[in-house]
Amino acid sequence: MDTAIVDYGTGNIRSVLKAIESLGYSAEVIDTPEKISAAKSLIIPGQGSSGYAMKKLREKQLVNPIIDYIKEQRPFFGVCLGLQLLMETSEEDPEPCLGIIPGEVKRFQHGLKIPHMGWNQVQFTTQNPIFSGIPEDSFFYFVHSYYVDPFDDDIVLGETEYGLTFCSAIAKDNIVATQFHPEKSGEIGLSLYKNFLANI
Amino acid sequence: MLTKRIIPCLDVKLGRVVKGVQFLDHVDAGDPVELAGYYNQEGADELVFYDITASSDDRNIMIEVVSQTAEQVFIPLTVGGGIRTIEDVNKMLLAGADKVSINTAAVQRPEFIEESAKAFGSQCIVVGIDVIRSNNGQRFTWTVKTHTGRDGGRSTGLDAIEWVKQVVELGAGEIVLNSIDSDGMLSGYDIDLLQAVSKYASIPVVASGGAGKLSDFSDAIINGNADAVLAASIFHFNKYSIKEVKNYLDSKDIAVRF
């Protein structure tokens, strides 16, 4: 299996699986610590609330295996909630997140339609092979009410405008994570997964 | 910049796409999976499937259609029609739907919105609101109708604006606002309705029912404050392509995705 997709009872797991398979790669949906340790690369997709997701990860005893996996510098891709969970804290829930990346998850300000739903552009702030072949200002599909604010600006890979400029993609060592959904962003979205899997 | 979305809607009956006028008199308009692929190529921003018969026997056909579509088309897919329980929502999401649209069941039991939003996240719970318009001499009012999938539906006496406020409060992630008077008439979206609703909707509103010419789309967005525009006939019968609609909106300085 080229990659393993973590199923913690939330999120559009099947869309991610089908997107990966459409690219000719093999993927497995997993939910045990053993499978995480054995994964060649790991994807955490996700939708919904951070508190609920952390509760589910705890119930399935996946929190430490995921943290260990990432700390071992192995290939990791987080999507939407899978990006937010990397932070330390979230305004959405008092439950702490995974705390792998110093930063917070914040709610969009009042006066904006929430969720931020639809196609929006990503401006690249750093060069990275994950965006190889993808033009600057490409459109990706977003649906979220919270965004990440990492403390270290150097890990910000892409930014998007919605009432403010927020971080819509990060990259740090073995970690790539996006606020938007590559599996729902047509051909351009798929090429992001392709770039990820081609480099593992 | 967040773009305005163009959404073709496919009414599905027994595994085929059909299109009616004012929710009745359906004619065949093609295979749903094929049409979904076609619209994706054309630049559709999302797709909506409405299961317009939705008896329990037909439900499995719809799940199969959703499942096949989700294997081939990598843009957001909303499924509605006959969604009554948390289990119904779950089945559609597992089949590959990104959002589920609830309508009659939400009117009958408003807590259903809250329960499903809590279980699956607001982002995937769309509330479809079908309304009829009346004019009391001084101003327009709109009343919610349910069971619109068959026999023209039932009037509820529920005021559409009051219902919108409640739907937002209960945690819906989006509203699809459908004017029954305009459905299939190609006479334009109900702009008064969109304006009235947009004052109270802090969540995205999708205009539905009535698109017949290019300026109808820009009217819904500029004058009706719609976040997205949904249409069926105009696309199925090739009056305009999605690209033509997007080019037109772009010429009116409305942000769209190319």
Side-chain angles (χ1 to χ4, degrees), chain A residues 14 18-19 47 113-115 117 119-121 139 141 143 183-186, chain B residues 1 3 45-46 67 71 74 76 94-95 98-99 123 174 202-203 227 257:
Chain A
R14 193 167 180 275
K18 292 296 162 190
Q47 289 180 334
K113 292 243 178 156
I114 294 176
M117 185 189 284
W119 296 81
N120 204 334
Q121 286 165 299
F139 286 99
Y141 190 79
V143 51
E183 70 281 0
K184 288 290 147 188
S185 300
Chain B
M1 186 189 280
T3 59
D45 294 313
E46 290 187 31
S67 168
E71 282 176 22
F74 297 101
L94 286 178
D98 298 286
K99 300 186 245 182
Q123 83 290 333
E174 186 170 61
S202 54
I203 59 177
D227 298 286
R257 172 185 73 116

PDB file of all heavy atoms in Angstrom, chain A residues 14 18-19 47 113-115 117 119-121 139 141 143 183-186, chain B residues 1 3 45-46 67 71 74 76 94-95 98-99 123 174 202-203 227 257:
ATOM      1  N   ARG A  14     -13.963   8.194   1.968  1.00  0.00           N
ATOM      2  CA  ARG A  14     -14.088   7.518   0.684  1.00  0.00           C
ATOM      3  C   ARG A  14     -13.637   8.417  -0.471  1.00  0.00           C
ATOM      4  O   ARG A  14     -13.025   7.943  -1.416  1.00  0.00           O
ATOM      5  CB  ARG A  14     -15.542   7.070   0.484  1.00  0.00           C
ATOM      6  CG  ARG A  14     -15.690   6.100  -0.667  1.00  0.00           C
ATOM      7  CD  ARG A  14     -17.051   5.414  -0.652  1.00  0.00           C
ATOM      8  NE  ARG A  14     -17.161   4.504  -1.771  1.00  0.00           N
ATOM      9  CZ  ARG A  14     -17.547   4.867  -2.986  1.00  0.00           C
ATOM     10  NH1 ARG A  14     -17.847   6.122  -3.228  1.00  0.00           N
ATOM     11  NH2 ARG A  14     -17.611   3.995  -3.964  1.00  0.00           N
ATOM     12  N   LYS A  18     -10.816   7.317  -3.109  1.00  0.00           N
ATOM     13  CA  LYS A  18     -11.080   7.229  -4.552  1.00  0.00           C
ATOM     14  C   LYS A  18     -10.164   8.168  -5.338  1.00  0.00           C
ATOM     15  O   LYS A  18      -9.746   7.850  -6.443  1.00  0.00           O
ATOM     16  CB  LYS A  18     -12.552   7.556  -4.848  1.00  0.00           C
ATOM     17  CG  LYS A  18     -13.515   6.510  -4.325  1.00  0.00           C
ATOM     18  CD  LYS A  18     -13.295   5.173  -5.025  1.00  0.00           C
ATOM     19  CE  LYS A  18     -13.900   4.031  -4.240  1.00  0.00           C
ATOM     20  NZ  LYS A  18     -13.492   2.709  -4.770  1.00  0.00           N
ATOM     21  N   ALA A  19      -9.870   9.306  -4.755  1.00  0.00           N
ATOM     22  CA  ALA A  19      -8.956  10.248  -5.417  1.00  0.00           C
ATOM     23  C   ALA A  19      -7.572   9.619  -5.582  1.00  0.00           C
ATOM     24  O   ALA A  19      -6.971   9.676  -6.652  1.00  0.00           O
ATOM     25  CB  ALA A  19      -8.868  11.541  -4.614  1.00  0.00           C
ATOM     26  N   GLN A  47     -13.317  16.382   8.537  1.00  0.00           N
ATOM     27  CA  GLN A  47     -14.316  17.444   8.548  1.00  0.00           C
ATOM     28  C   GLN A  47     -14.883  17.416   9.946  1.00  0.00           C
ATOM     29  O   GLN A  47     -14.671  16.466  10.675  1.00  0.00           O
ATOM     30  CB  GLN A  47     -15.450  17.104   7.573  1.00  0.00           C
ATOM     31  CG  GLN A  47     -15.035  17.199   6.122  1.00  0.00           C
ATOM     32  CD  GLN A  47     -16.175  16.856   5.193  1.00  0.00           C
ATOM     33  OE1 GLN A  47     -17.084  16.133   5.558  1.00  0.00           O
ATOM     34  NE2 GLN A  47     -16.118  17.378   3.990  1.00  0.00           N
ATOM     35  N   LYS A 113     -19.785  35.220   5.942  1.00  0.00           N
ATOM     36  CA  LYS A 113     -20.581  33.999   5.901  1.00  0.00           C
ATOM     37  C   LYS A 113     -19.708  32.846   6.375  1.00  0.00           C
ATOM     38  O   LYS A 113     -18.580  32.685   5.912  1.00  0.00           O
ATOM     39  CB  LYS A 113     -21.042  33.737   4.475  1.00  0.00           C
ATOM     40  CG  LYS A 113     -22.040  34.778   3.991  1.00  0.00           C
ATOM     41  CD  LYS A 113     -23.367  34.141   3.686  1.00  0.00           C
ATOM     42  CE  LYS A 113     -24.349  35.200   3.256  1.00  0.00           C
ATOM     43  NZ  LYS A 113     -25.422  34.666   2.425  1.00  0.00           N
ATOM     44  N   ILE A 114     -20.233  32.106   7.313  1.00  0.00           N
ATOM     45  CA  ILE A 114     -19.496  30.961   7.853  1.00  0.00           C
ATOM     46  C   ILE A 114     -20.396  29.732   7.727  1.00  0.00           C
ATOM     47  O   ILE A 114     -21.553  29.793   8.133  1.00  0.00           O
ATOM     48  CB  ILE A 114     -19.119  31.206   9.328  1.00  0.00           C
ATOM     49  CG1 ILE A 114     -18.109  32.367   9.395  1.00  0.00           C
ATOM     50  CG2 ILE A 114     -18.521  29.956   9.951  1.00  0.00           C
ATOM     51  CD1 ILE A 114     -17.734  32.769  10.807  1.00  0.00           C
ATOM     52  N   PRO A 115     -19.920  28.605   7.201  1.00  0.00           N
ATOM     53  CA  PRO A 115     -18.539  28.342   6.801  1.00  0.00           C
ATOM     54  C   PRO A 115     -18.071  29.108   5.552  1.00  0.00           C
ATOM     55  O   PRO A 115     -18.882  29.550   4.755  1.00  0.00           O
ATOM     56  CB  PRO A 115     -18.554  26.832   6.508  1.00  0.00           C
ATOM     57  CG  PRO A 115     -19.964  26.414   6.353  1.00  0.00           C
ATOM     58  CD  PRO A 115     -20.807  27.438   7.035  1.00  0.00           C
ATOM     59  N   MET A 117     -17.134  28.600   2.344  1.00  0.00           N
ATOM     60  CA  MET A 117     -17.467  27.439   1.534  1.00  0.00           C
ATOM     61  C   MET A 117     -17.375  27.787   0.058  1.00  0.00           C
ATOM     62  O   MET A 117     -18.011  28.733  -0.390  1.00  0.00           O
ATOM     63  CB  MET A 117     -18.897  26.990   1.867  1.00  0.00           C
ATOM     64  CG  MET A 117     -19.315  25.708   1.168  1.00  0.00           C
ATOM     65  SD  MET A 117     -21.065  25.342   1.377  1.00  0.00           S
ATOM     66  CE  MET A 117     -21.119  24.739   3.060  1.00  0.00           C
ATOM     67  N   TRP A 119     -14.871  27.751  -3.811  1.00  0.00           N
ATOM     68  CA  TRP A 119     -13.566  27.735  -4.469  1.00  0.00           C
ATOM     69  C   TRP A 119     -12.855  29.057  -4.223  1.00  0.00           C
ATOM     70  O   TRP A 119     -13.395  30.122  -4.516  1.00  0.00           O
ATOM     71  CB  TRP A 119     -13.740  27.521  -5.970  1.00  0.00           C
ATOM     72  CG  TRP A 119     -14.335  26.190  -6.315  1.00  0.00           C
ATOM     73  CD1 TRP A 119     -15.656  25.848  -6.281  1.00  0.00           C
ATOM     74  CD2 TRP A 119     -13.645  25.005  -6.731  1.00  0.00           C
ATOM     75  NE1 TRP A 119     -15.822  24.539  -6.662  1.00  0.00           N
ATOM     76  CE2 TRP A 119     -14.602  24.007  -6.952  1.00  0.00           C
ATOM     77  CE3 TRP A 119     -12.289  24.702  -6.962  1.00  0.00           C
ATOM     78  CZ2 TRP A 119     -14.262  22.715  -7.378  1.00  0.00           C
ATOM     79  CZ3 TRP A 119     -11.957  23.428  -7.386  1.00  0.00           C
ATOM     80  CH2 TRP A 119     -12.934  22.449  -7.583  1.00  0.00           C
ATOM     81  N   ASN A 120     -11.641  28.960  -3.692  1.00  0.00           N
ATOM     82  CA  ASN A 120     -10.864  30.163  -3.429  1.00  0.00           C
ATOM     83  C   ASN A 120      -9.418  29.916  -3.865  1.00  0.00           C
ATOM     84  O   ASN A 120      -9.010  28.776  -4.085  1.00  0.00           O
ATOM     85  CB  ASN A 120     -10.951  30.525  -1.943  1.00  0.00           C
ATOM     86  CG  ASN A 120     -10.702  31.994  -1.695  1.00  0.00           C
ATOM     87  OD1 ASN A 120     -10.014  32.673  -2.474  1.00  0.00           O
ATOM     88  ND2 ASN A 120     -11.240  32.503  -0.603  1.00  0.00           N
ATOM     89  N   GLN A 121      -8.675  31.018  -4.011  1.00  0.00           N
ATOM     90  CA  GLN A 121      -7.324  30.905  -4.544  1.00  0.00           C
ATOM     91  C   GLN A 121      -6.275  30.743  -3.451  1.00  0.00           C
ATOM     92  O   GLN A 121      -6.460  31.219  -2.329  1.00  0.00           O
ATOM     93  CB  GLN A 121      -6.988  32.156  -5.354  1.00  0.00           C
ATOM     94  CG  GLN A 121      -7.705  32.173  -6.687  1.00  0.00           C
ATOM     95  CD  GLN A 121      -7.681  33.533  -7.321  1.00  0.00           C
ATOM     96  OE1 GLN A 121      -8.201  34.492  -6.751  1.00  0.00           O
ATOM     97  NE2 GLN A 121      -7.081  33.634  -8.486  1.00  0.00           N
ATOM     98  N   PHE A 139      -7.338  27.649  -8.040  1.00  0.00           N
ATOM     99  CA  PHE A 139      -8.512  27.537  -7.169  1.00  0.00           C
ATOM    100  C   PHE A 139      -8.589  26.158  -6.521  1.00  0.00           C
ATOM    101  O   PHE A 139      -8.361  25.145  -7.176  1.00  0.00           O
ATOM    102  CB  PHE A 139      -9.790  27.760  -7.974  1.00  0.00           C
ATOM    103  CG  PHE A 139     -10.011  29.187  -8.346  1.00  0.00           C
ATOM    104  CD1 PHE A 139      -9.677  29.650  -9.603  1.00  0.00           C
ATOM    105  CD2 PHE A 139     -10.552  30.071  -7.423  1.00  0.00           C
ATOM    106  CE1 PHE A 139      -9.885  30.976  -9.947  1.00  0.00           C
ATOM    107  CE2 PHE A 139     -10.762  31.402  -7.755  1.00  0.00           C
ATOM    108  CZ  PHE A 139     -10.428  31.858  -9.027  1.00  0.00           C
ATOM    109  N   TYR A 141     -11.029  23.866  -3.403  1.00  0.00           N
ATOM    110  CA  TYR A 141     -12.318  23.871  -2.711  1.00  0.00           C
ATOM    111  C   TYR A 141     -12.129  23.868  -1.190  1.00  0.00           C
ATOM    112  O   TYR A 141     -11.463  22.998  -0.630  1.00  0.00           O
ATOM    113  CB  TYR A 141     -13.161  22.660  -3.125  1.00  0.00           C
ATOM    114  CG  TYR A 141     -14.577  22.770  -2.617  1.00  0.00           C
ATOM    115  CD1 TYR A 141     -15.504  23.576  -3.279  1.00  0.00           C
ATOM    116  CD2 TYR A 141     -14.986  22.114  -1.466  1.00  0.00           C
ATOM    117  CE1 TYR A 141     -16.797  23.714  -2.801  1.00  0.00           C
ATOM    118  CE2 TYR A 141     -16.284  22.253  -0.988  1.00  0.00           C
ATOM    119  CZ  TYR A 141     -17.182  23.049  -1.657  1.00  0.00           C
ATOM    120  OH  TYR A 141     -18.464  23.193  -1.189  1.00  0.00           O
ATOM    121  N   VAL A 143     -14.084  24.227   2.696  1.00  0.00           N
ATOM    122  CA  VAL A 143     -15.287  24.303   3.519  1.00  0.00           C
ATOM    123  C   VAL A 143     -14.875  24.157   4.984  1.00  0.00           C
ATOM    124  O   VAL A 143     -14.503  23.094   5.445  1.00  0.00           O
ATOM    125  CB  VAL A 143     -16.387  23.285   3.081  1.00  0.00           C
ATOM    126  CG1 VAL A 143     -15.872  21.884   2.938  1.00  0.00           C
ATOM    127  CG2 VAL A 143     -17.578  23.322   4.018  1.00  0.00           C
ATOM    128  N   GLU A 183      -9.075  16.460  -2.725  1.00  0.00           N
ATOM    129  CA  GLU A 183      -9.933  15.428  -3.324  1.00  0.00           C
ATOM    130  C   GLU A 183     -11.235  16.008  -3.872  1.00  0.00           C
ATOM    131  O   GLU A 183     -11.999  15.308  -4.527  1.00  0.00           O
ATOM    132  CB  GLU A 183     -10.222  14.315  -2.303  1.00  0.00           C
ATOM    133  CG  GLU A 183     -11.125  14.686  -1.142  1.00  0.00           C
ATOM    134  CD  GLU A 183     -10.419  15.477  -0.040  1.00  0.00           C
ATOM    135  OE1 GLU A 183      -9.211  15.751  -0.174  1.00  0.00           O
ATOM    136  OE2 GLU A 183     -11.094  15.816   0.953  1.00  0.00           O
ATOM    137  N   LYS A 184     -11.476  17.286  -3.597  1.00  0.00           N
ATOM    138  CA  LYS A 184     -12.695  17.927  -4.104  1.00  0.00           C
ATOM    139  C   LYS A 184     -12.348  19.110  -4.995  1.00  0.00           C
ATOM    140  O   LYS A 184     -13.203  19.933  -5.309  1.00  0.00           O
ATOM    141  CB  LYS A 184     -13.565  18.395  -2.925  1.00  0.00           C
ATOM    142  CG  LYS A 184     -14.226  17.251  -2.205  1.00  0.00           C
ATOM    143  CD  LYS A 184     -15.315  16.618  -3.056  1.00  0.00           C
ATOM    144  CE  LYS A 184     -15.440  15.148  -2.802  1.00  0.00           C
ATOM    145  NZ  LYS A 184     -16.359  14.508  -3.777  1.00  0.00           N
ATOM    146  N   SER A 185     -11.078  19.211  -5.369  1.00  0.00           N
ATOM    147  CA  SER A 185     -10.638  20.376  -6.135  1.00  0.00           C
ATOM    148  C   SER A 185     -10.275  20.021  -7.575  1.00  0.00           C
ATOM    149  O   SER A 185      -9.365  20.614  -8.166  1.00  0.00           O
ATOM    150  CB  SER A 185      -9.451  21.048  -5.433  1.00  0.00           C
ATOM    151  OG  SER A 185      -9.813  21.483  -4.136  1.00  0.00           O
ATOM    152  N   GLY A 186     -11.002  19.043  -8.129  1.00  0.00           N
ATOM    153  CA  GLY A 186     -10.813  18.688  -9.537  1.00  0.00           C
ATOM    154  C   GLY A 186      -9.403  18.213  -9.842  1.00  0.00           C
ATOM    155  O   GLY A 186      -8.702  17.688  -8.967  1.00  0.00           O
TER     156      GLY A 186
ATOM    157  N   MET B   1      -9.755  35.297  -4.075  1.00  0.00           N
ATOM    158  CA  MET B   1     -11.114  35.690  -3.682  1.00  0.00           C
ATOM    159  C   MET B   1     -12.068  34.510  -3.796  1.00  0.00           C
ATOM    160  O   MET B   1     -11.957  33.712  -4.715  1.00  0.00           O
ATOM    161  CB  MET B   1     -11.583  36.831  -4.607  1.00  0.00           C
ATOM    162  CG  MET B   1     -12.924  37.397  -4.182  1.00  0.00           C
ATOM    163  SD  MET B   1     -13.571  38.547  -5.426  1.00  0.00           S
ATOM    164  CE  MET B   1     -12.634  40.019  -5.021  1.00  0.00           C
ATOM    165  N   THR B   3     -15.035  32.592  -4.922  1.00  0.00           N
ATOM    166  CA  THR B   3     -15.833  32.779  -6.131  1.00  0.00           C
ATOM    167  C   THR B   3     -17.291  32.404  -5.898  1.00  0.00           C
ATOM    168  O   THR B   3     -17.619  31.677  -4.970  1.00  0.00           O
ATOM    169  CB  THR B   3     -15.282  31.926  -7.282  1.00  0.00           C
ATOM    170  OG1 THR B   3     -15.298  30.555  -6.879  1.00  0.00           O
ATOM    171  CG2 THR B   3     -13.872  32.328  -7.636  1.00  0.00           C
ATOM    172  N   ASP B  45     -18.946  23.981 -10.452  1.00  0.00           N
ATOM    173  CA  ASP B  45     -18.238  24.136  -9.186  1.00  0.00           C
ATOM    174  C   ASP B  45     -18.662  23.107  -8.153  1.00  0.00           C
ATOM    175  O   ASP B  45     -17.927  22.821  -7.210  1.00  0.00           O
ATOM    176  CB  ASP B  45     -18.468  25.545  -8.635  1.00  0.00           C
ATOM    177  CG  ASP B  45     -17.828  26.581  -9.542  1.00  0.00           C
ATOM    178  OD1 ASP B  45     -16.662  26.386  -9.929  1.00  0.00           O
ATOM    179  OD2 ASP B  45     -18.506  27.572  -9.887  1.00  0.00           O
ATOM    180  N   GLU B  46     -19.856  22.608  -8.302  1.00  0.00           N
ATOM    181  CA  GLU B  46     -20.394  21.566  -7.433  1.00  0.00           C
ATOM    182  C   GLU B  46     -21.491  20.885  -8.226  1.00  0.00           C
ATOM    183  O   GLU B  46     -21.918  21.396  -9.261  1.00  0.00           O
ATOM    184  CB  GLU B  46     -21.060  22.156  -6.179  1.00  0.00           C
ATOM    185  CG  GLU B  46     -20.112  22.756  -5.200  1.00  0.00           C
ATOM    186  CD  GLU B  46     -20.817  23.171  -3.898  1.00  0.00           C
ATOM    187  OE1 GLU B  46     -21.808  22.540  -3.486  1.00  0.00           O
ATOM    188  OE2 GLU B  46     -20.350  24.147  -3.323  1.00  0.00           O
ATOM    189  N   SER B  67     -22.500   6.670  -5.341  1.00  0.00           N
ATOM    190  CA  SER B  67     -21.255   5.954  -5.181  1.00  0.00           C
ATOM    191  C   SER B  67     -20.447   5.951  -6.486  1.00  0.00           C
ATOM    192  O   SER B  67     -19.246   6.220  -6.493  1.00  0.00           O
ATOM    193  CB  SER B  67     -21.600   4.538  -4.715  1.00  0.00           C
ATOM    194  OG  SER B  67     -20.500   3.717  -4.797  1.00  0.00           O
ATOM    195  N   GLU B  71     -16.796   8.127  -7.467  1.00  0.00           N
ATOM    196  CA  GLU B  71     -15.571   7.448  -7.898  1.00  0.00           C
ATOM    197  C   GLU B  71     -14.927   8.139  -9.091  1.00  0.00           C
ATOM    198  O   GLU B  71     -13.778   7.914  -9.413  1.00  0.00           O
ATOM    199  CB  GLU B  71     -15.878   5.997  -8.289  1.00  0.00           C
ATOM    200  CG  GLU B  71     -16.038   5.107  -7.077  1.00  0.00           C
ATOM    201  CD  GLU B  71     -16.434   3.690  -7.434  1.00  0.00           C
ATOM    202  OE1 GLU B  71     -16.193   3.269  -8.576  1.00  0.00           O
ATOM    203  OE2 GLU B  71     -16.998   3.031  -6.555  1.00  0.00           O
ATOM    204  N   PHE B  74     -14.391  14.512  -9.048  1.00  0.00           N
ATOM    205  CA  PHE B  74     -13.739  14.993  -7.831  1.00  0.00           C
ATOM    206  C   PHE B  74     -14.025  16.460  -7.550  1.00  0.00           C
ATOM    207  O   PHE B  74     -13.125  17.281  -7.382  1.00  0.00           O
ATOM    208  CB  PHE B  74     -12.242  14.672  -7.896  1.00  0.00           C
ATOM    209  CG  PHE B  74     -12.006  13.190  -7.935  1.00  0.00           C
ATOM    210  CD1 PHE B  74     -11.718  12.544  -9.124  1.00  0.00           C
ATOM    211  CD2 PHE B  74     -12.153  12.431  -6.790  1.00  0.00           C
ATOM    212  CE1 PHE B  74     -11.543  11.163  -9.162  1.00  0.00           C
ATOM    213  CE2 PHE B  74     -11.987  11.046  -6.813  1.00  0.00           C
ATOM    214  CZ  PHE B  74     -11.683  10.410  -8.001  1.00  0.00           C
ATOM    215  N   PRO B  76     -17.307  18.778  -5.248  1.00  0.00           N
ATOM    216  CA  PRO B  76     -18.303  18.512  -4.207  1.00  0.00           C
ATOM    217  C   PRO B  76     -19.651  18.055  -4.766  1.00  0.00           C
ATOM    218  O   PRO B  76     -20.118  18.566  -5.782  1.00  0.00           O
ATOM    219  CB  PRO B  76     -18.430  19.854  -3.497  1.00  0.00           C
ATOM    220  CG  PRO B  76     -17.153  20.543  -3.782  1.00  0.00           C
ATOM    221  CD  PRO B  76     -16.766  20.126  -5.158  1.00  0.00           C
ATOM    222  N   LEU B  94     -21.406   8.141   3.373  1.00  0.00           N
ATOM    223  CA  LEU B  94     -20.525   6.986   3.152  1.00  0.00           C
ATOM    224  C   LEU B  94     -20.446   6.616   1.673  1.00  0.00           C
ATOM    225  O   LEU B  94     -19.421   6.158   1.189  1.00  0.00           O
ATOM    226  CB  LEU B  94     -21.000   5.771   3.959  1.00  0.00           C
ATOM    227  CG  LEU B  94     -20.736   5.813   5.464  1.00  0.00           C
ATOM    228  CD1 LEU B  94     -21.300   4.571   6.136  1.00  0.00           C
ATOM    229  CD2 LEU B  94     -19.245   5.936   5.758  1.00  0.00           C
ATOM    230  N   ALA B  95     -21.547   6.836   0.951  1.00  0.00           N
ATOM    231  CA  ALA B  95     -21.558   6.521  -0.485  1.00  0.00           C
ATOM    232  C   ALA B  95     -20.679   7.503  -1.259  1.00  0.00           C
ATOM    233  O   ALA B  95     -20.306   7.240  -2.401  1.00  0.00           O
ATOM    234  CB  ALA B  95     -22.979   6.534  -1.019  1.00  0.00           C
ATOM    235  N   ASP B  98     -20.726  14.741  -0.314  1.00  0.00           N
ATOM    236  CA  ASP B  98     -20.015  15.650   0.584  1.00  0.00           C
ATOM    237  C   ASP B  98     -20.981  16.401   1.473  1.00  0.00           C
ATOM    238  O   ASP B  98     -20.651  16.799   2.582  1.00  0.00           O
ATOM    239  CB  ASP B  98     -19.199  16.654  -0.234  1.00  0.00           C
ATOM    240  CG  ASP B  98     -18.177  15.928  -1.046  1.00  0.00           C
ATOM    241  OD1 ASP B  98     -17.184  15.474  -0.475  1.00  0.00           O
ATOM    242  OD2 ASP B  98     -18.394  15.747  -2.266  1.00  0.00           O
ATOM    243  N   LYS B  99     -22.177  16.637   0.923  1.00  0.00           N
ATOM    244  CA  LYS B  99     -23.199  17.332   1.696  1.00  0.00           C
ATOM    245  C   LYS B  99     -24.518  16.609   1.479  1.00  0.00           C
ATOM    246  O   LYS B  99     -24.731  16.005   0.429  1.00  0.00           O
ATOM    247  CB  LYS B  99     -23.354  18.784   1.226  1.00  0.00           C
ATOM    248  CG  LYS B  99     -22.100  19.609   1.349  1.00  0.00           C
ATOM    249  CD  LYS B  99     -22.364  21.068   1.004  1.00  0.00           C
ATOM    250  CE  LYS B  99     -21.631  21.511  -0.223  1.00  0.00           C
ATOM    251  NZ  LYS B  99     -21.826  22.927  -0.559  1.00  0.00           N
ATOM    252  N   GLN B 123     -20.900  21.664   8.107  1.00  0.00           N
ATOM    253  CA  GLN B 123     -20.474  21.864   6.717  1.00  0.00           C
ATOM    254  C   GLN B 123     -21.142  20.899   5.751  1.00  0.00           C
ATOM    255  O   GLN B 123     -21.224  21.167   4.565  1.00  0.00           O
ATOM    256  CB  GLN B 123     -18.949  21.783   6.608  1.00  0.00           C
ATOM    257  CG  GLN B 123     -18.348  20.388   6.496  1.00  0.00           C
ATOM    258  CD  GLN B 123     -18.454  19.570   7.778  1.00  0.00           C
ATOM    259  OE1 GLN B 123     -18.502  20.115   8.872  1.00  0.00           O
ATOM    260  NE2 GLN B 123     -18.515  18.263   7.643  1.00  0.00           N
ATOM    261  N   GLU B 174     -25.603  25.459   5.086  1.00  0.00           N
ATOM    262  CA  GLU B 174     -25.942  26.126   3.831  1.00  0.00           C
ATOM    263  C   GLU B 174     -27.443  25.996   3.598  1.00  0.00           C
ATOM    264  O   GLU B 174     -28.063  25.059   4.066  1.00  0.00           O
ATOM    265  CB  GLU B 174     -25.173  25.450   2.682  1.00  0.00           C
ATOM    266  CG  GLU B 174     -25.323  26.124   1.334  1.00  0.00           C
ATOM    267  CD  GLU B 174     -24.345  25.542   0.303  1.00  0.00           C
ATOM    268  OE1 GLU B 174     -24.426  24.329   0.022  1.00  0.00           O
ATOM    269  OE2 GLU B 174     -23.517  26.295  -0.201  1.00  0.00           O
ATOM    270  N   SER B 202     -26.606  33.972   7.846  1.00  0.00           N
ATOM    271  CA  SER B 202     -25.164  34.141   8.076  1.00  0.00           C
ATOM    272  C   SER B 202     -24.399  32.954   7.505  1.00  0.00           C
ATOM    273  O   SER B 202     -23.212  32.799   7.730  1.00  0.00           O
ATOM    274  CB  SER B 202     -24.902  34.263   9.576  1.00  0.00           C
ATOM    275  OG  SER B 202     -25.479  33.161  10.250  1.00  0.00           O
ATOM    276  N   ILE B 203     -25.112  32.084   6.793  1.00  0.00           N
ATOM    277  CA  ILE B 203     -24.498  30.936   6.119  1.00  0.00           C
ATOM    278  C   ILE B 203     -24.745  31.098   4.616  1.00  0.00           C
ATOM    279  O   ILE B 203     -25.606  31.886   4.213  1.00  0.00           O
ATOM    280  CB  ILE B 203     -25.090  29.600   6.636  1.00  0.00           C
ATOM    281  CG1 ILE B 203     -26.617  29.535   6.418  1.00  0.00           C
ATOM    282  CG2 ILE B 203     -24.782  29.415   8.114  1.00  0.00           C
ATOM    283  CD1 ILE B 203     -27.251  28.222   6.842  1.00  0.00           C
ATOM    284  N   ASP B 227     -24.833  33.347  -2.815  1.00  0.00           N
ATOM    285  CA  ASP B 227     -23.440  32.882  -2.802  1.00  0.00           C
ATOM    286  C   ASP B 227     -23.192  31.886  -3.929  1.00  0.00           C
ATOM    287  O   ASP B 227     -22.058  31.638  -4.308  1.00  0.00           O
ATOM    288  CB  ASP B 227     -23.137  32.213  -1.462  1.00  0.00           C
ATOM    289  CG  ASP B 227     -23.291  33.190  -0.323  1.00  0.00           C
ATOM    290  OD1 ASP B 227     -22.414  34.052  -0.188  1.00  0.00           O
ATOM    291  OD2 ASP B 227     -24.320  33.143   0.388  1.00  0.00           O
ATOM    292  N   ARG B 257     -14.648  30.792 -10.911  1.00  0.00           N
ATOM    293  CA  ARG B 257     -13.470  29.929 -11.100  1.00  0.00           C
ATOM    294  C   ARG B 257     -13.395  29.464 -12.547  1.00  0.00           C
ATOM    295  O   ARG B 257     -14.384  28.979 -13.085  1.00  0.00           O
ATOM    296  CB  ARG B 257     -13.589  28.706 -10.200  1.00  0.00           C
ATOM    297  CG  ARG B 257     -12.527  27.650 -10.452  1.00  0.00           C
ATOM    298  CD  ARG B 257     -12.767  26.423  -9.611  1.00  0.00           C
ATOM    299  NE  ARG B 257     -13.886  25.648 -10.091  1.00  0.00           N
ATOM    300  CZ  ARG B 257     -13.790  24.405 -10.574  1.00  0.00           C
ATOM    301  NH1 ARG B 257     -12.620  23.805 -10.647  1.00  0.00           N
ATOM    302  NH2 ARG B 257     -14.862  23.761 -10.976  1.00  0.00           N
TER     303      ARG B 257
END
